[in-house]
Coordinates of all heavy atoms in Angstrom, one line a residue:
M16 N -6.8 -54.3 -24.3 CA -6.1 -54.9 -25.4 C -6.5 -56.4 -25.5 O -6.8 -57.0 -24.6 CB -4.6 -54.8 -25.2 CG -4.0 -53.5 -25.4 SD -2.2 -53.7 -25.3 CE -1.8 -52.0 -25.0
T17 N -6.4 -56.8 -26.7 CA -6.7 -58.3 -27.0 C -5.4 -59.1 -26.6 O -4.3 -58.6 -26.5 CB -7.0 -58.5 -28.4 OG1 -5.9 -58.2 -29.2 CG2 -8.2 -57.7 -28.9
K18 N -5.6 -60.4 -26.4 CA -4.5 -61.3 -26.0 C -3.5 -61.2 -27.1 O -2.3 -61.2 -26.8 CB -5.1 -62.6 -25.9 CG -4.4 -63.5 -24.9 CD -4.3 -62.9 -23.6 CE -4.1 -64.0 -22.5 NZ -3.6 -63.5 -21.3
V19 N -3.9 -61.3 -28.4 CA -2.9 -61.3 -29.5 C -2.1 -60.0 -29.5 O -0.8 -60.1 -29.6 CB -3.6 -61.4 -30.9 CG1 -2.6 -61.3 -32.0 CG2 -4.3 -62.8 -30.9
K20 N -2.7 -58.9 -29.3 CA -2.0 -57.6 -29.3 C -1.0 -57.6 -28.1 O 0.1 -57.1 -28.2 CB -2.9 -56.4 -29.2 CG -2.3 -55.1 -29.5 CD -3.3 -54.0 -29.7 CE -2.6 -52.7 -30.0 NZ -3.5 -51.6 -30.2
D21 N -1.5 -58.0 -26.9 CA -0.6 -58.1 -25.7 C 0.6 -58.9 -26.0 O 1.7 -58.6 -25.6 CB -1.4 -58.7 -24.5 CG -2.4 -57.7 -23.9 OD1 -2.3 -56.5 -24.2 OD2 -3.3 -58.1 -23.2
N22 N 0.4 -60.1 -26.6 CA 1.6 -61.0 -26.9 C 2.5 -60.3 -27.9 O 3.8 -60.4 -27.8 CB 1.1 -62.3 -27.5 CG 0.5 -63.2 -26.5 OD1 0.7 -63.0 -25.3 ND2 -0.3 -64.1 -26.9
L23 N 2.0 -59.6 -28.9 CA 2.9 -58.8 -29.8 C 3.7 -57.8 -29.1 O 4.9 -57.7 -29.4 CB 2.1 -58.2 -31.0 CG 1.5 -59.2 -32.0 CD1 0.6 -58.4 -33.0 CD2 2.5 -59.9 -32.7
I24 N 3.1 -57.1 -28.2 CA 3.8 -56.0 -27.5 C 4.8 -56.7 -26.6 O 6.0 -56.2 -26.5 CB 2.8 -55.2 -26.6 CG1 2.0 -54.3 -27.6 CG2 3.5 -54.3 -25.6 CD1 0.8 -53.6 -26.9
D25 N 4.5 -57.8 -25.9 CA 5.4 -58.5 -25.1 C 6.6 -59.1 -25.9 O 7.7 -59.0 -25.5 CB 4.7 -59.7 -24.4 CG 5.5 -60.2 -23.2 OD1 6.0 -59.4 -22.4 OD2 5.7 -61.5 -23.2
D26 N 6.3 -59.6 -27.1 CA 7.4 -60.1 -28.0 C 8.4 -58.9 -28.4 O 9.5 -59.1 -28.3 CB 6.8 -60.7 -29.2 CG 6.2 -62.1 -29.0 OD1 6.3 -62.6 -27.9 OD2 5.4 -62.5 -29.9
E27 N 7.8 -57.8 -28.6 CA 8.6 -56.6 -29.0 C 9.5 -56.2 -27.8 O 10.6 -55.8 -27.9 CB 7.8 -55.5 -29.4 CG 7.1 -55.7 -30.8 CD 6.1 -54.6 -31.2 OE1 6.1 -53.5 -30.5 OE2 5.4 -54.8 -32.1
H28 N 8.9 -56.3 -26.6 CA 9.6 -56.0 -25.4 C 10.8 -56.9 -25.1 O 11.9 -56.5 -24.8 CB 8.6 -56.0 -24.2 CG 9.0 -55.2 -23.0 ND1 8.8 -53.9 -22.9 CD2 9.6 -55.6 -21.9 CE1 9.2 -53.5 -21.7 NE2 9.7 -54.5 -21.1
V29 N 10.5 -58.2 -25.3 CA 11.6 -59.2 -25.2 C 12.7 -59.0 -26.2 O 13.9 -59.0 -25.9 CB 11.0 -60.6 -25.3 CG1 12.1 -61.7 -25.4 CG2 10.1 -60.9 -24.1
K30 N 12.3 -58.7 -27.4 CA 13.3 -58.4 -28.5 C 14.2 -57.2 -28.1 O 15.4 -57.2 -28.3 CB 12.6 -58.3 -29.8 CG 12.2 -59.6 -30.4 CD 11.5 -59.3 -31.8 CE 11.0 -60.7 -32.3 NZ 10.3 -60.5 -33.6
D31 N 13.5 -56.2 -27.6 CA 14.2 -55.0 -27.2 C 15.3 -55.3 -26.1 O 16.4 -54.9 -26.2 CB 13.3 -53.9 -26.7 CG 13.9 -52.6 -26.3 OD1 15.0 -52.2 -26.9 OD2 13.4 -52.0 -25.3
I32 N 14.9 -56.1 -25.2 CA 15.8 -56.5 -24.1 C 16.9 -57.3 -24.7 O 18.1 -57.1 -24.3 CB 15.0 -57.3 -23.0 CG1 14.1 -56.3 -22.2 CG2 16.0 -58.0 -22.0 CD1 13.1 -57.1 -21.3
Q33 N 16.6 -58.3 -25.6 CA 17.7 -59.1 -26.1 C 18.7 -58.3 -27.0 O 19.9 -58.5 -26.9 CB 17.1 -60.2 -27.0 CG 16.3 -61.2 -26.2 CD 15.5 -62.2 -27.1 OE1 15.0 -61.8 -28.2 NE2 15.4 -63.4 -26.7
V34 N 18.2 -57.3 -27.7 CA 19.1 -56.4 -28.5 C 20.0 -55.6 -27.6 O 21.2 -55.5 -27.8 CB 18.2 -55.5 -29.4 CG1 19.1 -54.4 -30.0 CG2 17.6 -56.3 -30.5
R35 N 19.4 -55.1 -26.5 CA 20.2 -54.3 -25.6 C 21.3 -55.2 -24.9 O 22.4 -54.8 -24.8 CB 19.3 -53.7 -24.5 CG 18.5 -52.6 -25.0 CD 17.5 -52.1 -23.9 NE 16.6 -51.1 -24.4 CZ 16.9 -49.8 -24.4 NH1 18.0 -49.4 -23.9 NH2 16.0 -48.9 -24.9
L36 N 20.9 -56.4 -24.6 CA 21.9 -57.3 -24.0 C 23.0 -57.7 -25.0 O 24.2 -57.8 -24.6 CB 21.2 -58.6 -23.5 CG 20.4 -58.4 -22.2 CD1 19.6 -59.7 -21.9 CD2 21.2 -58.0 -21.0
R37 N 22.7 -57.9 -26.2 CA 23.8 -58.1 -27.2 C 24.7 -56.9 -27.4 O 25.9 -57.1 -27.5 CB 23.1 -58.5 -28.6 CG 22.7 -60.0 -28.6 CD 22.3 -60.5 -30.0 NE 21.1 -59.9 -30.5 CZ 19.9 -60.3 -30.3 NH1 19.7 -61.4 -29.6 NH2 18.9 -59.7 -30.8
K38 N 24.1 -55.7 -27.3 CA 25.0 -54.5 -27.4 C 25.9 -54.4 -26.2 O 27.1 -54.1 -26.3 CB 24.1 -53.3 -27.5 CG 23.4 -53.1 -28.8 CD 22.6 -51.8 -28.9 CE 21.9 -51.7 -30.2 NZ 21.0 -50.5 -30.3
I39 N 25.3 -54.8 -25.0 CA 26.1 -54.7 -23.8 C 27.3 -55.8 -23.9 O 28.4 -55.5 -23.5 CB 25.2 -55.0 -22.6 CG1 24.3 -53.8 -22.3 CG2 26.1 -55.3 -21.3 CD1 23.2 -54.1 -21.4
E40 N 26.9 -56.9 -24.4 CA 28.0 -58.0 -24.6 C 29.1 -57.4 -25.5 O 30.3 -57.6 -25.2 CB 27.3 -59.2 -25.2 CG 28.3 -60.3 -25.5 CD 27.7 -61.5 -26.1 OE1 26.6 -61.4 -26.8 OE2 28.2 -62.6 -26.0
G41 N 28.7 -56.7 -26.5 CA 29.8 -56.1 -27.4 C 30.6 -55.1 -26.7 O 31.8 -55.0 -26.8
Q42 N 29.9 -54.3 -25.8 CA 30.6 -53.3 -25.1 C 31.6 -53.9 -24.1 O 32.8 -53.5 -24.0 CB 29.7 -52.4 -24.3 CG 28.9 -51.4 -25.1 CD 27.9 -50.6 -24.3 OE1 27.0 -51.2 -23.7 NE2 28.2 -49.3 -24.1
V43 N 31.2 -55.0 -23.4 CA 32.1 -55.7 -22.5 C 33.3 -56.3 -23.2 O 34.4 -56.2 -22.7 CB 31.3 -56.8 -21.7 CG1 32.2 -57.7 -20.9 CG2 30.2 -56.1 -20.8
K44 N 33.1 -56.9 -24.4 CA 34.2 -57.4 -25.2 C 35.2 -56.3 -25.6 O 36.4 -56.5 -25.5 CB 33.7 -58.2 -26.4 CG 33.0 -59.5 -26.1 CD 32.5 -60.2 -27.3 CE 31.9 -61.5 -26.9 NZ 31.3 -62.2 -28.0
G45 N 34.6 -55.1 -25.9 CA 35.4 -54.0 -26.2 C 36.2 -53.5 -25.0 O 37.4 -53.2 -25.1
I46 N 35.6 -53.6 -23.8 CA 36.4 -53.2 -22.6 C 37.5 -54.2 -22.3 O 38.6 -53.8 -22.0 CB 35.4 -53.1 -21.4 CG1 34.4 -52.0 -21.5 CG2 36.2 -53.0 -20.1 CD1 33.3 -51.9 -20.5
E47 N 37.2 -55.5 -22.6 CA 38.2 -56.5 -22.4 C 39.4 -56.3 -23.3 O 40.6 -56.4 -22.9 CB 37.6 -57.9 -22.7 CG 38.5 -59.0 -22.4 CD 37.8 -60.4 -22.6 OE1 36.8 -60.4 -23.3 OE2 38.4 -61.4 -22.2
K48 N 39.1 -55.9 -24.5 CA 40.2 -55.6 -25.5 C 41.0 -54.3 -25.0 O 42.2 -54.3 -25.2 CB 39.7 -55.3 -26.9 CG 39.2 -56.6 -27.6 CD 38.6 -56.3 -28.9 CE 38.1 -57.6 -29.5 NZ 37.4 -57.4 -30.8
M49 N 40.3 -53.3 -24.5 CA 40.9 -52.1 -24.0 C 41.9 -52.5 -22.9 O 43.0 -51.9 -22.8 CB 39.9 -51.1 -23.5 CG 39.1 -50.5 -24.6 SD 37.8 -49.4 -24.0 CE 38.7 -48.0 -23.6
V50 N 41.4 -53.3 -22.0 CA 42.3 -53.7 -20.8 C 43.5 -54.5 -21.4 O 44.6 -54.2 -20.9 CB 41.5 -54.6 -19.8 CG1 42.4 -55.2 -18.8 CG2 40.4 -53.7 -19.1
S51 N 43.3 -55.4 -22.3 CA 44.4 -56.2 -22.8 C 45.4 -55.3 -23.5 O 46.6 -55.6 -23.5 CB 43.9 -57.2 -23.8 OG 43.1 -58.2 -23.2
S52 N 45.0 -54.3 -24.2 CA 45.9 -53.4 -24.9 C 46.4 -52.3 -24.0 O 47.0 -51.4 -24.5 CB 45.2 -52.9 -26.2 OG 44.2 -52.0 -25.8
E53 N 46.0 -52.3 -22.8 CA 46.5 -51.3 -21.8 C 46.1 -49.9 -22.2 O 46.9 -49.0 -22.2 CB 48.0 -51.4 -21.6 CG 48.4 -52.8 -21.0 CD 49.9 -52.9 -20.7 OE1 50.6 -51.9 -20.8 OE2 50.3 -54.0 -20.4
A54 N 44.8 -49.8 -22.6 CA 44.3 -48.4 -22.9 C 44.2 -47.5 -21.7 O 44.4 -48.0 -20.6 CB 42.8 -48.6 -23.5
C55 N 44.0 -46.3 -21.9 CA 43.9 -45.3 -20.9 C 42.8 -45.7 -19.9 O 41.7 -46.0 -20.3 CB 43.6 -43.9 -21.5 SG 43.2 -42.7 -20.3
C56 N 43.2 -45.7 -18.6 CA 42.2 -46.1 -17.6 C 41.0 -45.3 -17.6 O 39.9 -45.8 -17.3 CB 42.9 -46.1 -16.2 SG 44.2 -47.3 -15.9
K57 N 41.1 -44.0 -17.8 CA 40.0 -43.1 -17.9 C 39.0 -43.6 -18.9 O 37.8 -43.6 -18.7 CB 40.4 -41.7 -18.1 CG 39.2 -40.7 -18.1 CD 39.7 -39.3 -18.4 CE 38.5 -38.3 -18.4 NZ 38.9 -37.0 -18.7
N58 N 39.5 -43.9 -20.1 CA 38.7 -44.4 -21.2 C 38.0 -45.7 -20.9 O 36.8 -45.9 -21.2 CB 39.5 -44.5 -22.5 CG 40.0 -43.2 -23.0 OD1 39.4 -42.1 -22.7 ND2 41.0 -43.2 -23.8
I59 N 38.7 -46.6 -20.2 CA 38.1 -47.9 -19.7 C 37.0 -47.6 -18.8 O 35.9 -48.2 -18.9 CB 39.2 -48.8 -19.1 CG1 40.2 -49.2 -20.2 CG2 38.5 -50.0 -18.5 CD1 41.4 -49.9 -19.6
L60 N 37.2 -46.7 -17.8 CA 36.2 -46.4 -16.8 C 34.9 -45.7 -17.5 O 33.8 -46.0 -17.0 CB 36.7 -45.5 -15.7 CG 37.7 -46.1 -14.8 CD1 38.4 -45.1 -13.9 CD2 37.0 -47.2 -14.0
V61 N 35.1 -45.0 -18.5 CA 34.0 -44.4 -19.2 C 33.1 -45.5 -19.8 O 31.9 -45.5 -19.7 CB 34.5 -43.4 -20.3 CG1 33.3 -43.0 -21.2 CG2 35.0 -42.1 -19.6
Q62 N 33.8 -46.5 -20.4 CA 33.1 -47.6 -21.0 C 32.4 -48.5 -19.9 O 31.3 -48.9 -20.2 CB 34.0 -48.4 -21.9 CG 34.5 -47.7 -23.1 CD 33.4 -47.2 -24.0 OE1 32.4 -47.9 -24.3 NE2 33.5 -45.9 -24.3
V63 N 33.1 -48.6 -18.8 CA 32.5 -49.4 -17.7 C 31.2 -48.7 -17.2 O 30.1 -49.3 -17.0 CB 33.5 -49.6 -16.5 CG1 32.7 -50.1 -15.3 CG2 34.6 -50.5 -17.0
A64 N 31.2 -47.4 -17.1 CA 30.1 -46.6 -16.7 C 28.9 -46.7 -17.7 O 27.8 -46.8 -17.4 CB 30.5 -45.1 -16.5
A65 N 29.3 -46.8 -19.0 CA 28.3 -46.9 -20.1 C 27.6 -48.3 -20.0 O 26.4 -48.4 -20.1 CB 28.9 -46.8 -21.5
V66 N 28.4 -49.3 -19.7 CA 27.8 -50.7 -19.5 C 26.9 -50.7 -18.3 O 25.8 -51.3 -18.3 CB 28.9 -51.7 -19.4 CG1 28.4 -53.1 -19.0 CG2 29.6 -51.9 -20.8
R67 N 27.4 -50.1 -17.2 CA 26.5 -50.1 -16.0 C 25.2 -49.4 -16.3 O 24.1 -49.9 -15.9 CB 27.3 -49.4 -14.9 CG 28.4 -50.2 -14.3 CD 29.2 -49.5 -13.3 NE 28.3 -49.1 -12.2 CZ 28.7 -48.1 -11.3 NH1 29.9 -47.6 -11.4 NH2 27.9 -47.8 -10.3
A68 N 25.2 -48.3 -17.0 CA 24.0 -47.6 -17.3 C 23.1 -48.4 -18.2 O 21.9 -48.5 -18.0 CB 24.3 -46.2 -18.0
A69 N 23.7 -49.1 -19.2 CA 22.9 -50.0 -20.1 C 22.3 -51.1 -19.3 O 21.1 -51.5 -19.6 CB 23.8 -50.5 -21.2
M70 N 23.0 -51.7 -18.4 CA 22.5 -52.8 -17.6 C 21.3 -52.3 -16.7 O 20.4 -53.0 -16.5 CB 23.6 -53.4 -16.7 CG 24.5 -54.3 -17.5 SD 23.7 -55.7 -18.3 CE 23.0 -56.6 -16.9
N71 N 21.5 -51.1 -16.1 CA 20.4 -50.5 -15.4 C 19.1 -50.3 -16.2 O 18.0 -50.6 -15.7 CB 20.8 -49.1 -14.8 CG 21.7 -49.3 -13.6 OD1 21.7 -50.4 -12.9 ND2 22.4 -48.2 -13.2
K72 N 19.3 -49.9 -17.5 CA 18.1 -49.8 -18.4 C 17.5 -51.2 -18.6 O 16.3 -51.3 -18.6 CB 18.6 -49.1 -19.7 CG 17.5 -49.0 -20.7 CD 16.4 -48.0 -20.2 CE 15.4 -47.8 -21.3 NZ 14.3 -47.0 -20.8
V73 N 18.3 -52.2 -18.9 CA 17.8 -53.5 -19.1 C 17.1 -54.0 -17.8 O 15.9 -54.5 -17.9 CB 18.9 -54.5 -19.4 CG1 18.4 -56.0 -19.3 CG2 19.4 -54.2 -20.8
G74 N 17.7 -53.7 -16.7 CA 17.0 -54.1 -15.4 C 15.6 -53.4 -15.3 O 14.7 -54.0 -14.8
G75 N 15.6 -52.2 -15.6 CA 14.3 -51.4 -15.6 C 13.3 -52.0 -16.6 O 12.1 -52.2 -16.2
L76 N 13.7 -52.4 -17.7 CA 12.8 -53.0 -18.7 C 12.3 -54.4 -18.2 O 11.1 -54.7 -18.4 CB 13.5 -53.2 -20.0 CG 13.8 -51.9 -20.8 CD1 14.6 -52.1 -22.0 CD2 12.5 -51.2 -21.2
V77 N 13.2 -55.1 -17.6 CA 12.8 -56.5 -17.1 C 11.8 -56.3 -15.9 O 10.8 -57.0 -15.8 CB 14.0 -57.3 -16.6 CG1 13.6 -58.5 -15.9 CG2 14.9 -57.6 -17.8
L78 N 12.1 -55.3 -15.1 CA 11.2 -55.0 -14.0 C 9.8 -54.6 -14.5 O 8.8 -55.0 -14.0 CB 11.8 -53.9 -13.1 CG 10.9 -53.4 -12.0 CD1 10.6 -54.4 -10.9 CD2 11.5 -52.1 -11.3
E79 N 9.8 -53.7 -15.5 CA 8.5 -53.3 -16.1 C 7.8 -54.5 -16.7 O 6.6 -54.6 -16.4 CB 8.8 -52.3 -17.2 CG 7.6 -51.8 -17.9 CD 7.9 -50.9 -19.1 OE1 9.1 -50.7 -19.5 OE2 7.0 -50.3 -19.6
R80 N 8.5 -55.3 -17.4 CA 7.8 -56.5 -18.0 C 7.3 -57.4 -16.8 O 6.2 -57.9 -16.9 CB 8.8 -57.3 -18.8 CG 8.2 -58.5 -19.5 CD 9.2 -59.1 -20.5 NE 8.6 -60.2 -21.2 CZ 8.9 -61.5 -20.9 NH1 9.7 -61.8 -19.9 NH2 8.2 -62.5 -21.5
Y81 N 8.1 -57.7 -15.8 CA 7.6 -58.5 -14.7 C 6.4 -57.9 -14.0 O 5.4 -58.6 -13.8 CB 8.7 -58.6 -13.7 CG 8.2 -59.2 -12.4 CD1 8.0 -60.5 -12.2 CD2 8.0 -58.3 -11.3 CE1 7.5 -61.0 -11.0 CE2 7.6 -58.8 -10.1 CZ 7.3 -60.2 -9.9 OH 6.8 -60.6 -8.8
T82 N 6.4 -56.6 -13.8 CA 5.3 -55.9 -13.1 C 4.1 -56.0 -13.9 O 3.0 -56.4 -13.4 CB 5.7 -54.4 -12.8 OG1 6.9 -54.4 -12.1 CG2 4.6 -53.8 -12.0
K83 N 4.2 -55.7 -15.2 CA 3.0 -55.7 -16.1 C 2.4 -57.1 -16.3 O 1.2 -57.3 -16.4 CB 3.3 -55.0 -17.4 CG 3.4 -53.5 -17.2 CD 3.7 -52.8 -18.5 CE 3.8 -51.4 -18.3 NZ 4.2 -50.7 -19.6
N84 N 3.3 -58.1 -16.4 CA 2.9 -59.5 -16.7 C 2.4 -60.2 -15.5 O 1.6 -61.1 -15.6 CB 4.0 -60.3 -17.4 CG 4.1 -59.8 -18.9 OD1 3.3 -59.1 -19.4 ND2 5.3 -60.1 -19.4
C85 N 3.0 -59.9 -14.3 CA 2.8 -60.7 -13.1 C 2.0 -60.0 -12.1 O 1.4 -60.7 -11.2 CB 4.1 -61.2 -12.5 SG 5.1 -62.1 -13.7
L86 N 1.9 -58.7 -12.1 CA 1.2 -58.0 -11.0 C 0.0 -57.3 -11.4 O -0.9 -57.0 -10.6 CB 2.2 -57.0 -10.3 CG 3.4 -57.6 -9.7 CD1 4.3 -56.5 -9.1 CD2 3.1 -58.7 -8.7
I87 N -0.2 -57.0 -12.7 CA -1.4 -56.3 -13.2 C -2.4 -57.3 -13.5 O -2.2 -58.2 -14.3 CB -1.0 -55.4 -14.4 CG1 -0.1 -54.3 -13.9 CG2 -2.3 -54.8 -15.0 CD1 0.3 -53.3 -15.0
H88 N -3.6 -57.1 -13.0 CA -4.8 -57.9 -13.3 C -5.8 -57.0 -14.0 O -6.1 -55.9 -13.6 CB -5.4 -58.4 -12.1 CG -4.5 -59.2 -11.3 ND1 -4.1 -60.5 -11.6 CD2 -3.8 -59.0 -10.1 CE1 -3.2 -61.0 -10.8 NE2 -3.0 -60.1 -9.8
E89 N -6.2 -57.4 -15.2 CA -7.1 -56.6 -16.1 C -8.4 -56.1 -15.4 O -8.9 -55.1 -15.7 CB -7.5 -57.3 -17.3 CG -6.3 -57.5 -18.2 CD -6.6 -58.3 -19.5 OE1 -7.8 -58.4 -19.8 OE2 -5.7 -58.9 -20.1
D90 N -8.8 -56.8 -14.4 CA -10.1 -56.4 -13.7 C -9.9 -55.4 -12.6 O -10.9 -55.0 -12.0 CB -10.8 -57.7 -13.1 CG -9.9 -58.4 -12.1 OD1 -8.7 -58.1 -12.1 OD2 -10.4 -59.2 -11.3
N91 N -8.7 -54.9 -12.4 CA -8.6 -53.9 -11.3 C -7.8 -52.7 -11.7 O -6.6 -52.7 -11.7 CB -7.9 -54.6 -10.1 CG -8.0 -53.8 -8.8 OD1 -8.1 -52.6 -8.8 ND2 -7.8 -54.5 -7.7
E92 N -8.5 -51.7 -12.2 CA -7.8 -50.5 -12.8 C -7.1 -49.7 -11.7 O -6.0 -49.1 -12.0 CB -8.9 -49.6 -13.4 CG -9.5 -50.2 -14.7 CD -8.4 -50.3 -15.8 OE1 -7.6 -49.4 -15.9 OE2 -8.4 -51.4 -16.5
V93 N -7.5 -49.7 -10.5 CA -6.8 -48.9 -9.4 C -5.5 -49.5 -9.2 O -4.5 -48.8 -9.2 CB -7.7 -48.9 -8.1 CG1 -6.9 -48.2 -7.0 CG2 -9.0 -48.2 -8.3
D94 N -5.4 -50.8 -9.1 CA -4.1 -51.4 -8.9 C -3.2 -51.2 -10.1 O -2.0 -51.0 -10.0 CB -4.2 -52.9 -8.6 CG -4.8 -53.2 -7.2 OD1 -4.7 -52.3 -6.4 OD2 -5.2 -54.3 -7.0
K95 N -3.8 -51.3 -11.3 CA -3.0 -51.1 -12.5 C -2.4 -49.7 -12.5 O -1.2 -49.6 -12.8 CB -4.0 -51.2 -13.7 CG -3.2 -51.3 -15.0 CD -4.2 -51.4 -16.2 CE -4.0 -52.7 -16.9 NZ -4.8 -52.8 -18.1
Q96 N -3.1 -48.7 -12.1 CA -2.5 -47.4 -12.1 C -1.4 -47.3 -11.1 O -0.3 -46.7 -11.4 CB -3.6 -46.3 -11.7 CG -3.1 -44.9 -11.7 CD -4.2 -43.9 -11.4 OE1 -5.3 -44.3 -11.2 NE2 -3.8 -42.7 -11.3
K97 N -1.6 -47.9 -9.9 CA -0.5 -47.8 -8.9 C 0.7 -48.6 -9.4 O 1.9 -48.1 -9.1 CB -1.0 -48.4 -7.6 CG -2.0 -47.5 -6.9 CD -2.5 -48.1 -5.6 CE -3.4 -47.1 -4.9 NZ -3.9 -47.6 -3.6
I98 N 0.6 -49.7 -10.1 CA 1.7 -50.4 -10.5 C 2.4 -49.6 -11.7 O 3.7 -49.6 -11.7 CB 1.3 -51.8 -11.0 CG1 0.9 -52.6 -9.7 CG2 2.4 -52.5 -11.7 CD1 0.3 -54.0 -10.0
E99 N 1.6 -49.0 -12.5 CA 2.3 -48.2 -13.6 C 3.1 -47.0 -12.9 O 4.2 -46.8 -13.4 CB 1.2 -47.5 -14.5 CG 0.5 -48.5 -15.4 CD 1.4 -49.0 -16.5 OE1 2.4 -48.4 -16.8 OE2 1.0 -50.0 -17.2
E100 N 2.6 -46.5 -11.8 CA 3.4 -45.4 -11.1 C 4.7 -46.0 -10.5 O 5.7 -45.4 -10.6 CB 2.5 -44.8 -10.0 CG 1.4 -43.9 -10.6 CD 0.5 -43.4 -9.5 OE1 0.9 -43.4 -8.3 OE2 -0.6 -42.9 -9.8
L101 N 4.5 -47.2 -10.0 CA 5.7 -47.9 -9.4 C 6.7 -48.2 -10.5 O 7.9 -47.9 -10.3 CB 5.3 -49.2 -8.8 CG 6.4 -50.1 -8.2 CD1 7.1 -49.5 -7.0 CD2 5.8 -51.5 -7.8
V102 N 6.3 -48.7 -11.6 CA 7.3 -48.9 -12.7 C 7.9 -47.6 -13.2 O 9.2 -47.6 -13.3 CB 6.5 -49.6 -13.9 CG1 7.4 -49.6 -15.2 CG2 6.1 -51.0 -13.6
S103 N 7.2 -46.6 -13.3 CA 7.7 -45.3 -13.7 C 8.8 -44.8 -12.7 O 9.8 -44.3 -13.1 CB 6.6 -44.3 -13.8 OG 7.1 -43.0 -14.1
T104 N 8.5 -45.0 -11.4 CA 9.4 -44.6 -10.4 C 10.7 -45.4 -10.4 O 11.8 -44.8 -10.4 CB 8.8 -44.7 -9.0 OG1 7.6 -43.9 -9.0 CG2 9.7 -44.3 -7.9
F105 N 10.6 -46.7 -10.6 CA 11.8 -47.5 -10.7 C 12.6 -47.2 -11.9 O 13.9 -47.1 -11.9 CB 11.4 -49.0 -10.8 CG 11.3 -49.7 -9.4 CD1 10.1 -50.1 -9.0 CD2 12.4 -49.8 -8.6 CE1 9.9 -50.7 -7.8 CE2 12.2 -50.4 -7.3 CZ 11.0 -50.9 -6.9
I106 N 12.0 -46.9 -13.1 CA 12.7 -46.6 -14.3 C 13.4 -45.2 -14.1 O 14.6 -45.1 -14.5 CB 11.8 -46.6 -15.5 CG1 11.4 -48.0 -15.8 CG2 12.4 -45.9 -16.7 CD1 10.3 -48.2 -16.9
M107 N 12.8 -44.3 -13.5 CA 13.4 -43.0 -13.2 C 14.6 -43.2 -12.3 O 15.6 -42.6 -12.5 CB 12.4 -42.0 -12.6 CG 12.9 -40.7 -12.3 SD 11.7 -39.6 -11.5 CE 11.5 -40.4 -9.9
F108 N 14.5 -44.0 -11.3 CA 15.6 -44.3 -10.4 C 16.8 -44.9 -11.1 O 17.9 -44.6 -10.8 CB 15.1 -45.2 -9.2 CG 16.2 -45.7 -8.4 CD1 16.7 -44.8 -7.4 CD2 16.7 -47.0 -8.4 CE1 17.7 -45.2 -6.5 CE2 17.7 -47.4 -7.6 CZ 18.2 -46.5 -6.6
L109 N 16.5 -45.8 -12.1 CA 17.6 -46.5 -12.7 C 18.3 -45.7 -13.8 O 19.3 -46.1 -14.3 CB 17.1 -47.8 -13.3 CG 16.6 -48.8 -12.3 CD1 15.9 -50.0 -13.0 CD2 17.8 -49.3 -11.5
K110 N 17.8 -44.5 -14.1 CA 18.5 -43.7 -15.2 C 19.8 -43.2 -14.7 O 20.1 -42.9 -13.6 CB 17.6 -42.5 -15.6 CG 16.4 -42.9 -16.4 CD 15.6 -41.7 -16.8 CE 14.5 -42.2 -17.7 NZ 13.7 -41.1 -18.2

């Protein structure tokens, strides 16, 4: 890939993470309102679990970005493949 294309992909990746974080922020505010209004504890816990899952996804995306930007060197395809496998494994773990 060219440098420009890599930067575009990276920008899209960053935007995806930012959008996810804004959604999580909204979910957390919703949970806060649920607690304030003394909503059913089961419903609150469902929302807490949803936020935790969303945060795990964000963590996986950040890990992927870090790995690809900081650990992959274009001149070493063998390492690139191993790192892609590592990222895939972490993402699977975080689901």
Side-chain angles (χ1 to χ4, degrees):
M16 281 188 202
T17 65
K18 208 57 153 162
V19 174
K20 191 170 183 181
D21 286 342
N22 288 340
L23 289 175
I24 290 171
D25 194 49
D26 288 347
E27 289 174 12
H28 201 83
V29 169
K30 285 180 184 179
D31 182 33
I32 291 169
Q33 290 172 328
V34 167
R35 288 172 184 274
L36 287 171
R37 282 193 288 275
K38 287 179 182 178
I39 292 167
E40 181 181 21
Q42 286 178 295
V43 170
K44 287 179 181 180
I46 293 170
E47 186 178 14
K48 287 179 185 176
M49 291 174 77
V50 170
S51 295
S52 67
E53 298 181 8
C55 172
C56 292
K57 181 180 177 183
N58 294 340
I59 294 170
L60 289 172
V61 167
Q62 293 306 311
V63 169
V66 168
R67 287 175 56 198
M70 284 301 297
N71 283 342
K72 180 65 177 175
V73 167
L76 291 171
V77 172
L78 175 64
E79 178 182 10
R80 182 171 183 259
Y81 165 77
T82 304
K83 289 179 177 178
N84 289 341
C85 300
L86 300 178
I87 292 178
H88 303 285
E89 291 178 18
D90 60 342
N91 194 336
E92 289 298 318
V93 176
D94 286 346
K95 187 181 245 185
Q96 181 180 359
K97 287 182 180 182
I98 291 172
E99 289 286 349
E100 289 174 17
L101 175 67
V102 169
S103 176
T104 300
F105 273 114
I106 289 172
M107 181 180 66
F108 174 76
L109 293 173
K110 285 185 181 180

